[in-house]
Structure formats: structure tokens, C-alpha cells
């Protein structure tokens, strides 16, 4: 009888052998210091005396871990395609020389509470090239207090771990940086290394060219947006407002716009740079709707980054003030008490918003003090305000969508499968050389995997000071869309034409087999940025 425990695609993907730079497959790790990745802020340097002066390093030969390495791994934050392959890369490098990989369960809390298990070959093999984080689970806990650092140290000592790998986004890698520093300061021999994960694409700087998961997730969203664009054009009666995940930064929206060529896309960073108020944002999309309607086109596609709301100046200010007010609230404060502490203009902004949005703005912050933008229906806010602004309600019919979870656990594209497997081996190599306080990276990602260069980037070089829960703290900086960068310029030069014509592209589903230009492609963002650097 046919085995139906796996879909045909799952079975085929398990057999996929990731493409990796040859250096990562040979023995004996050798790392060379290059130069300081960037100048570390003096306040950060004073708080990270053991890791602030690390140099960026490059692997010149071999990365197979020496015998007997015991490494712990944790998945932290939101799911991103490829997390399992970081683990298979680590596992393969370690097990080739009798090493061992322990998975901490349920995210950082798994280290704090020492909940973990040594991973075996069968379960690792079953998760090769799969999406999801279900092998060990994930979580958003923050490792913040002295007691928690000590508990993590104890877990590492008890398990005699030579290394710990934190797979996460900006906040999780901040955790990794703090832990690496704390371990060095307190004589804990476990080295700590981070891996850049997030579909949001906002963990990148210098040698960290992109975070894993961005490639797969944006391809899934672009497929869905393309399908909707074709539906919109076929029916000719709906404007579709599509909110896309990505937190504050608009990288996901920009990439999806580049892949699909919608009639309109908000880019949060542009809104902030120009200081566009909510009313001005609405005027811009309304102008496109009116123009198109004048030509008999009553359909369209508008992309809305989930973080847009934070970039509209008056709402951004309101959110910051609410963040501080909520951080100081004991949980018993009513909406009115919380609002009473805000400046009058922010109170007015709050009251001008639809009730649904007001409620969502007051929801709990995440453990890092961030507003949870995925829970705010910004696309509905835009629709409501456009409706108020326009007077032709009969011919302006809308649909709204939110795409986020649809893409976070898709089977990684070949790029993400290759990249994450290589990141796992790079992390193993850094640890095998006793390097701590680094994030694993590969440079040259727009080229063939055989030309990628395994690199270690000091975590402190990615940090800046930010206000969190009302206090200044060193954190890894979120990379926002660069308005002078090639991806945004490409978009800005073409958007007028995309608004007028139906220039939609239909990228279709991510492909795992077939011509390399389809199955092994790179995102437009990565390609345009690499072309600009060349
Ligand atoms: P990370 O920064 O942890 O990678 O989060 C990615 C993300 O998908 C964001 O785009 C989104 O805003 C958030 O997670 C949603 O969080 P949750 O999974 O807790 O609903």
C-alpha cells in the first residue's frame, strides 16, 4: 500500500541535499579576523566589555567540529522557513565527530527551566528541509534578569555544553549577545552564537545580508497577492487591501510589491521620512482609486505593511506613549486612566480611530515591550478612512486580507534550505573554535552557494540604544527599508505606471524543482542590493 504518512512533496524534500560552500564540508575550522565590523557605541562598549571589541571573522578552511562537542540549540520568536535546517546543519557537523545536539524546548524558557533533549538521527532526518519549528517548538520569552542568566548558565553547566546556538530575530539575538557577555563575565565556558532568523527581513547589516525565511515567506505572499490581482482584474469590481506581516519594517511589503507590481503599496519608512499624517496617507491611495475609477477601473490592489501604523507620525507617537503608560501600569488601569496620562493631542488621535483599532492598540505588548502590530487591522483602518474620504460608495467595493501565518511555515525554498543548512554548519564551526558573541553569516548570497563565505559577525556591532518599556537599552537594531537603496528606488521609479495600468506579475507558487532561474532564484531585494554593491 502507498505510504500516506508523508505527502509526495514532503518525501521528495527529505531527500534534497542542500548546496553548501565547500569550506563548510572539510575538517578543522580556521577563522581569521578581518576588521572591526563597525564602531561600537561607547555606552554599549561599557556594558559589553568582553564582546565589544571582537573582530568580524571569516572562515578560511574547514568547519567540521572537532570530537566531542556538545551544543544546545534554541528556536526563538516567530516561525521562519528553514529553522529545522539550521538544526540539521548543526547536527551533521557535530555528529560527524561524535558530538551531540541538545534541543531546548519551547524557546528561551526551555534554557531557563532546563527543558531539553538530545536530538537523535531519526527525528533530525524526518525534519530535513521542512518548514515549521515543531521539532523543538519556539517561544518569545526574554532572558533578562540575573536569576534567569544564572539559570541558563546552570542548564549549560549541567549538560556540559560547549556551545549554545540561539536562532532568532533582532530581540532574540539581543538575548544571545547579553548571554554571551554574561557567560564570559561569569566564567561560564559555554560559547554563545546567534543565527539570523525572521521572515521580516529586518535583521541585516553589513555581512549579515539577509535573515533566513524572508525568501520563502515573501514568495508565498507574492503568490497569493498575484492570485488576488488576477481575480481583481477578472471581476473588475473590488479593491483588495492586503496587509502583510513584517513588523515595523516594510521589507516584506516592498519585496512582494517588486514581485507582483500592485497598484499601490505603502512603505512605512517613506511615510515616516515625509511625515505623512494618516489623512495624507489616505489622500494618496484615494487619488489612485479616483484616477482608476475615472478610467472605468473599479478594481485594484493596495499593499499595507503591518507596521505602517507605527510610522504615521501622530499614531507612532501615540503608540510610544501607550507603550510607556502600559509598562508602568499594574494591569488594573482602565482605558480612561491610561489615556489620562497621555498628552491631549495623543488622546485626540486615539479617539479619532475606529473602536476596533483603539482596542487593538491597548492589547498587551510582547515580552520585549513591542506593540503587536500583527494584531492591529491596519488594512481595515485604511479602508474605513478611504470610505470616509470618498463619496462614491457604490462603486468602491473592498475586500481585505492579512497574510502572515500563511508563509511562516512553508517548506523552505531551495535558497532558504541551502542558506539555513550552511548557517547551521557555520555556527557549529564558530563554536568548535570557541568563538562566543558572534552571529553566523554567509556573504555573497546572491551568487552560487559554492561561493558563499562563512563569516562571524560580532553581535555587539549590530547594536544600538533604543527606548524599551520607557527605558534606554542596548538592542540589536532593526534594519528599516533604505529609501536611498536600490530596492526602494526600483519600486519608486515604476509605481506610477503600476498605479495606472494593470501591470501585475503572477509569480505562482514557490518551485523546488525545474529550471534554476525559477527554483534557485533570489529575492528582488537581495538581487538589487547585490547589484548596487557590485
Ligand atoms: P520574529 O521577529 O520573531 O521573527 O517575528 C516575526 C513575526 O511573524 C512578525 O512578522 C509578526 O508581527 C509577529 O511575528 C507575530 O507574532 P506572533 O507569532 O506572536 O503572533
Amino acid at each position: 500500500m502507498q505510504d500516506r504518512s508523508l505527502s509526495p512533496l514532503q518525501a521528495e524534500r527529505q531527500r534534497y541535499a542542500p548546496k553548501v560552500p565547500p569550506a563548510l564540508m572539510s575538517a578543522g575550522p580556521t577563522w581569521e579576523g578581518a576588521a572591526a565590523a563597525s564602531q561600537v557605541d561607547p555606552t554599549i562598549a561599557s556594558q559589553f566589555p568582553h564582546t565589544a571589541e571582537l573582530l568580524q571573522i571569516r572562515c578560511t578552511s574547514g568547519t567540521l567540529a572537532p570530537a566531542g562537542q556538545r551544543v544546545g540549540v534554541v528556536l526563538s520568536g516567530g516561525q521562519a522557513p528553514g529553522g529545522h535546517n539550521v538544526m540539521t546543519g548543526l547536527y551533521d557537523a557535530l555528529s560527524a565527530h561524535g558530538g551531540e545536539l541538545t534541543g531546548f524546548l519551547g524557546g528561551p524558557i526551555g534554557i531557563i527551566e532546563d527543558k531539553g533533549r538530545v536530538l537523535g538521527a531519526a527525528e533530525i532526518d524526518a525534519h530535513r528541509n521542512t518548514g515549521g519549528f515543531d521539532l523543538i517548538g519556539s517561544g518569545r520569552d526574554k532572558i533578562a534578569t540575573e536569576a534567569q542568566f544564572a539559570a541558563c548558565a546552570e542548564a549549560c553547566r549541567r549538560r556540559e555544553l560547549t556551545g549554545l546556538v540561539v536562532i532568532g530575530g533582532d530581540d532574540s539575538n539581543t538575548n544571545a549577545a547579553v548571554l554571551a557577555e554574561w557567560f564570559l563575565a561569569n566564567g561560564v565556558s559555554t560559547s554563545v552564537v546567534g543565527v539570523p532568523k525572521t521572515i521580516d527581513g529586518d535583521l541585516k547589516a553589513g555581512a549579515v545580508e539577509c535573515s533566513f525565511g524572508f525568501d520563502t515567506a515573501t514568495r508565498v505572499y507574492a503568490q497569493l497577492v498575484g492570485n488576488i490581482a488576477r481575480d481583481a482584474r477578472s471581476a473588475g469590481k473590488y479593491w483588495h487591501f492586503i496587509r502583510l506581516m513584517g513588523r515595523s519594517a516594510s521589507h516584506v511589503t516592498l519585496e512582494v510589491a517588486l514581485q507582483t507590481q500592485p497598484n499601490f503599496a505603502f512603505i512605512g519608512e517613506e511615510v515616516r521620512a515625509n511625515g505623512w499624517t494618516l489623512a495624507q496617507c489616505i489622500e494618496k491611495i484615494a487619488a489612485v482609486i479616483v484616477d482608476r475609477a475615472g478610467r472605468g477601473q473599479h478594481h485594484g490592489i493596495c499593499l499595507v505593511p503591518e507596521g505602517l501604523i507605527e510610522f504615521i507620525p501622530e499614531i507612532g507617537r501615540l503608540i510610544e506613549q501607550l507603550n510607556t503608560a502600559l509598562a508602568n501600569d499594574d494591569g488594573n488601569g482602565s482605558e480612561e486612566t491610561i489615556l489620562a496620562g497621555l498628552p491631549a493631542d495623543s488622546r485626540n488621535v486615539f479617539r479619532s480611530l475606529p473602536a476596533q483599532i483603539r482596542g487593538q492598540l491597548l492589547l498587551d505588548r510582547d515580552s520585549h515591550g513591542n506593540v503587536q502590530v500583527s494584531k492591529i487591522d491596519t488594512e481595515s483602518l485604511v479602508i474605513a478612512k478611504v470610505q470616509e474620504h470618498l463619496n462614491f460608495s457604490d462603486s468602491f467595493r473592498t475586500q481585505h486580507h492579512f497574510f502572515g501565518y500563511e508563509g511562516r511555515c512553508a517548506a523552505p525554498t531551495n535558497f532558504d534550505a541551502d542558506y539555513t543548512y550552511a548557517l547551521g554548519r557555520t555556527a557549529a564551526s564558530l563554536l568548535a573554535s570557541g568563538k562566543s558573541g558572534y552571529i553566523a553569516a554567509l556573504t555573497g548570497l546572491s551568487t552560487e552557494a559554492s561561493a558563499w563565505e562563512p563569516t562571524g559577525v560580532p553581535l555587539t556591532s549590530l547594536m544600538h540604544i533604543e527606548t524599551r518599556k520607557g527605558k534606554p537599552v542596548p538592542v540589536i537594531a532593526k534594519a528599516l527599508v533604505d529609501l536611498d537603496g536600490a530596492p526602494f528606488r526600483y519600486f519608486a521609479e515604476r509605481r506610477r505606471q503600476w498605479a495606472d495600468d494593470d501591470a501585475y506579475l503572477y509569480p505562482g507558487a514557490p518551485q523546488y524543482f525545474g529550471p534554476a532561474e525559477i527554483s534557485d532564484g533570489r529575492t528582488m531585494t537581495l538581487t538589487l542590493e547585490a547589484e548596487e554593491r557590485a
Side-chain angles (χ1 to χ4, degrees):
M1 207 166 63
Q2 193 188 338
D3 175 13
R4 292 205 164 80
S5 61
L6 294 179
S7 71
L9 183 74
Q10 277 177 284
E12 196 54 45
R13 287 310 277 170
Q14 267 183 19
R15 289 190 281 272
Y16 177 74
K19 300 180 276 304
V20 273
L24 286 171
M25 303 305 285
S26 54
T30 317
W31 289 86
E32 268 179 12
S38 70
Q39 198 64 41
V40 176
D41 176 295
T43 318
I44 296 170
S46 67
Q47 292 182 41
F48 290 82
H50 298 85
T51 49
E53 284 179 12
L54 294 175
L55 293 182
Q56 183 166 307
I57 48 177
R58 197 162 53 89
C59 177
T60 51
S61 79
T63 58
L64 284 186
Q69 298 283 307
R70 297 160 76 96
V71 170
V73 62
V74 66
L75 289 162
S76 184
Q79 284 67 252
H84 286 155
N85 261 26
V86 178
M87 296 169 69
T88 60
L90 272 169
Y91 178 88
D92 289 350
L94 291 164
S95 60
H97 290 260
E100 210 175 67
L101 182 64
T102 292
F104 284 106
L105 307 178
I109 194 77
I111 321 178
I112 297 170
E113 296 180 352
D114 195 7
K115 293 199 175 119
R117 64 163 195 279
V118 175
L119 298 168
E123 57 184 337
I124 285 285
D125 286 346
H127 288 83
R128 288 185 190 272
N129 309 306
T130 57
F133 280 4
D134 44 297
L135 177 52
I136 55 171
S138 184
R140 290 198 181 279
D141 294 285
K142 192 168 159 57
I143 305 171
T145 64
E146 279 297 302
Q148 289 170 332
F149 296 136
C152 292
E154 193 42 41
C156 292
R157 274 200 197 101
R158 199 173 308 125
R159 292 176 183 272
E160 296 175 20
L161 297 183
T162 49
L164 177 66
V165 178
V166 178
I167 304 174
D170 52 332
D171 285 332
S172 313
N173 273 288
T174 299
N175 268 343
V178 174
L179 214 49
E181 178 65 33
W182 199 93
F183 280 10
L184 286 167
N186 290 278
V188 182
S189 61
T190 311
S191 304
V192 184
V193 160
V195 172
K197 167 241 71 167
T198 177
I199 62 151
D200 303 345
D202 60 359
L203 175 45
K204 62 174 179 180
V208 182
E209 295 179 7
C210 74
S211 56
F212 78 76
F214 179 72
D215 184 278
T216 311
T218 53
R219 275 177 213 283
V220 172
Y221 305 144
Q223 175 204 0
L224 298 174
V225 170
N227 293 353
I228 290 176
R230 196 138 225 170
D231 192 291
R233 193 176 188 187
S234 307
K237 64 177 180 185
Y238 291 127
W239 262 89
H240 292 263
F241 288 78
I242 306 170
R243 176 165 52 111
L244 293 163
M245 253 191 189
R247 284 193 196 279
S248 312
S250 299
H251 298 291
V252 171
T253 296
L254 179 57
E255 174 62 28
V256 172
L258 296 176
Q259 288 188 34
T260 60
Q261 306 188 171
N263 305 105
F264 195 92
F266 285 107
I267 299 298
E269 291 80 346
E270 183 183 29
V271 169
R272 175 182 284 168
N274 290 293
W276 291 333
T277 60
L278 179 58
Q280 288 171 314
C281 291
I282 299 304
E283 276 163 26
K284 296 202 180 295
I285 172 67
V288 173
I289 294 167
V290 170
D291 272 6
R292 286 177 62 85
R295 289 192 301 274
Q297 293 167 302
H298 296 288
H299 65 279
I301 301 290
C302 171
L303 303 185
V304 180
E306 68 172 7
L308 173 67
I309 194 148
E310 291 181 301
F311 286 88
I312 297 172
E314 70 276 23
I315 306 185
R317 264 194 308 276
L318 168 68
I319 289 176
E320 266 179 33
Q321 289 158 358
L322 284 173
N323 286 351
T324 309
L326 289 167
N328 295 332
D329 180 54
D330 57 7
N332 297 321
S334 65
E335 179 177 320
E336 279 318 306
T337 347
I338 290 169
L339 288 184
L342 303 187
D345 53 348
S346 288
R347 271 203 304 275
N348 292 339
V349 171
F350 185 82
R351 291 192 177 118
S352 72
L353 299 171
Q356 171 200 5
I357 305 292
R358 291 202 304 268
Q360 291 166 344
L361 282 174
L362 291 173
L363 291 174
D364 287 343
R365 273 36 186 172
D366 70 12
S367 61
H368 301 271
N370 302 315
V371 65
Q372 300 189 58
V373 280
S374 60
K375 296 192 175 154
I376 302 176
D377 297 332
T378 308
E379 76 285 16
S380 301
L381 171 65
V382 173
I383 292 176
K385 293 288 175 188
V386 171
Q387 265 156 354
E388 258 173 50
H389 186 88
L390 297 174
N391 286 326
F392 51 89
S393 53
D394 283 355
S395 58
F396 178 56
R397 284 184 291 262
T398 61
Q399 297 288 345
H400 62 102
H401 316 262
F402 170 44
F403 297 143
Y405 300 100
E406 292 80 351
R408 296 200 316 184
C409 283
T413 54
N414 288 349
F415 170 77
D416 268 329
D418 299 345
Y419 179 35
T420 48
Y421 185 81
L423 281 172
R425 293 195 84 111
T426 304
S429 171
L430 283 163
L431 294 173
S433 305
K435 307 290 182 198
S436 194
Y438 284 91
I439 190 166
L442 289 130
T443 59
L445 289 175
S446 66
T447 61
E448 302 267 301
S450 58
W452 295 348
E453 278 197 353
T455 303
V457 179
L459 283 160
T460 45
S461 72
L462 304 175
M463 294 180 119
H464 74 166
I465 301 282
E466 223 173 77
T467 304
R468 291 286 176 92
K469 297 184 181 173
K471 297 197 184 85
V473 280
V475 294
I476 291 194
K478 273 188 202 308
L480 298 178
V481 168
D482 176 4
L483 300 181
D484 295 322
F488 180 79
R489 289 201 324 268
Y490 184 99
F491 162 76
E493 282 157 17
R494 288 161 182 79
R495 62 179 153 185
R496 184 64 254 168
Q497 187 228 330
W498 299 351
D500 293 346
D501 306 336
D502 286 349
Y504 309 135
L505 295 178
Y506 310 110
Q511 300 293 313
Y512 302 95
F513 314 99
E517 61 176 318
I518 301 175
S519 59
D520 279 357
R522 304 291 190 258
T523 58
M524 289 279 286
T525 305
L526 196 63
T527 308
L528 291 168
E529 285 176 349
E531 281 172 12
E532 187 166 46
R533 270 196 304 272

